[in-house]
Amino acid sequence: EKIASLYVQLRKESSSSGGVPIAVRHIESIMRMSEAHAKMHLRDYVRDDDMDASIRMMLESFISAQKFSVRRSLRRSFAKFMSSGEDRVHLLLHILQDMMRNEAMYQTIRRQQLKEKDLPQVLEVPLEEFESRARDRRIYDVAEFCGGPAFEEAGYGLDARRRMIIRNF
């Protein structure tokens, strides 16, 4: 569906802008690049992120082959197909914040039931659960995010040995 809408939009833009025409062979190229991307990651199947990478690559090539005067409008037109890693970082941060909020509520209720007065100093969520929620959103690799600046700036840490994401208060 994504490739079909991309093809329709590419055909329309290439004919209206008078630039390089798009053909079915360009779509076939996206499929081959997706397969190659999956193989580079030692997978026997193509995932959404393989398709996204090949679509981004093909669009960058297509846009750079156009006249300079139409490149900016093409970038705007195809922005939804060229989602950046920044979008994924925001989504992963949101998922992690939601998980930590749920863990904090759980800890608060648990302490009330046990009649403890001390609030937790550290919240922990299993890395496997975070990876599972990311996969639900079609994000298959969170390692780069967990080692990135947004993760640290948000106050999270990773205990790789225990495979837990930690947040101190």
Side-chain angles (χ1 to χ4, degrees), residues 7-63:
Y7 178 70
V8 168
Q9 192 173 349
L10 275 170
R11 291 279 299 182
K12 188 168 78 173
E13 289 289 336
S14 68
S15 66
S16 68
S17 67
V20 177
I22 254 328
V24 175
R25 64 188 166 90
H26 290 97
I27 302 308
E28 292 169 348
S29 296
I30 290 174
M31 303 302 278
R32 285 192 301 276
M33 287 189 297
S34 298
E35 291 170 356
H37 191 267
K39 286 179 183 177
M40 285 187 336
H41 289 91
L42 305 176
R43 287 190 305 271
D44 294 330
Y45 54 92
V46 175
R47 299 187 316 202
D48 285 344
D49 56 339
D50 299 318
M51 292 296 279
D52 291 342
S54 55
I55 287 171
R56 251 189 329 275
M57 195 180 325
M58 199 280 297
L59 280 174
E60 284 294 334
S61 175
F62 172 73
I63 291 170

Side-chain angles (χ1 to χ4, degrees), residues 37-150:
H37 191 267
K39 286 179 183 177
M40 285 187 336
H41 289 91
L42 305 176
R43 287 190 305 271
D44 294 330
Y45 54 92
V46 175
R47 299 187 316 202
D48 285 344
D49 56 339
D50 299 318
M51 292 296 279
D52 291 342
S54 55
I55 287 171
R56 251 189 329 275
M57 195 180 325
M58 199 280 297
L59 280 174
E60 284 294 334
S61 175
F62 172 73
I63 291 170
S64 66
Q66 302 301 315
K67 296 180 224 171
F68 184 76
S69 59
V70 295
R71 286 184 193 168
R72 180 177 286 159
S73 76
L74 287 175
R75 284 197 194 284
R76 265 185 267 129
S77 297
F78 293 107
K80 68 179 180 183
F81 295 106
M82 300 171 71
S83 63
S84 68
E86 196 172 306
D87 296 336
R88 288 194 171 129
V89 167
H90 290 301
L91 180 57
L92 289 171
L93 277 174
H94 176 72
I95 292 169
L96 194 50
Q97 288 166 350
D98 185 51
M99 291 176 69
M100 287 294 178
R101 188 172 30 256
N102 290 342
E103 180 64 19
M105 281 193 283
Y106 169 75
Q107 292 293 334
T108 301
I109 292 168
R110 186 170 167 262
R111 291 192 186 291
Q112 287 173 350
Q113 289 174 345
L114 296 174
K115 299 188 183 348
E116 294 179 12
K117 299 198 190 255
D118 296 332
L119 292 174
Q121 299 297 317
V122 176
L123 291 176
E124 299 178 336
V125 295
L127 181 59
E128 290 83 19
E129 185 180 341
F130 178 58
E131 290 170 332
S132 173
R133 291 202 185 177
R135 276 191 302 276
D136 291 344
R137 301 289 193 274
R138 297 182 177 182
I139 300 174
Y140 300 99
D141 186 13
V142 298
E144 186 176 332
F145 168 75
C146 290

